[in-house]
């Protein structure tokens, strides 16, 4: 998905919006909730966002931190 992002494409714009919300403080759920308006609650947007985040993690761009409380 990342490799196939074409500059100016709709997919590239969507991934940029997700990337901007990654700050190391917000949870995946919080990021998904903030994107509800952007995606206009489109069916399946949560899955697409999750898949993108997991791909970023797999490719070494981000790390997930799990609370130890």
């Amino acid at each position: 998905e990342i490799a196939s992002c074409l500059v100016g494409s709709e997919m590239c714009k969507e991934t940029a919006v997700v990337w901007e919300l990654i700050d190391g403080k917000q949870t995946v759920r919080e990021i998904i909730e903030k994107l509800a308006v952007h995606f206009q609650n489109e069916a399946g947007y949560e899955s697409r966002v999750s898949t993108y985040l997991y791909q970023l993690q797999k490719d070494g761009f981000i790390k997930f931190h799990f609370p130890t409380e």
Side-chain angles (χ1 to χ4, degrees):
E1 191 171 5
I2 296 169
S4 65
C5 182
L6 302 173
V7 175
S9 72
E10 193 60 34
M11 183 181 71
C12 194
K13 291 175 190 171
E14 289 180 358
T15 56
V17 171
V18 175
W19 182 256
E20 290 175 5
L21 291 173
I22 300 171
D23 63 4
K25 298 174 186 171
Q26 299 184 83
T27 66
V28 171
R29 172 60 33 210
E30 289 169 334
I31 291 171
I32 288 171
E33 287 172 358
K34 287 184 177 183
L35 291 168
V37 173
H38 174 78
F39 286 101
Q40 300 174 1
N41 289 309
E42 176 184 320
Y45 88 91
E46 299 100 331
S47 176
R48 289 198 335 260
V49 172
S50 294
T51 299
Y52 177 61
L53 291 170
Y54 283 104
Q55 188 63 49
L56 287 173
Q57 187 268 334
K58 180 180 170 188
D59 292 341
F61 291 105
I62 65 172
K63 287 185 176 183
F64 291 120
H65 295 278
F66 299 95
T68 57
E69 296 177 0

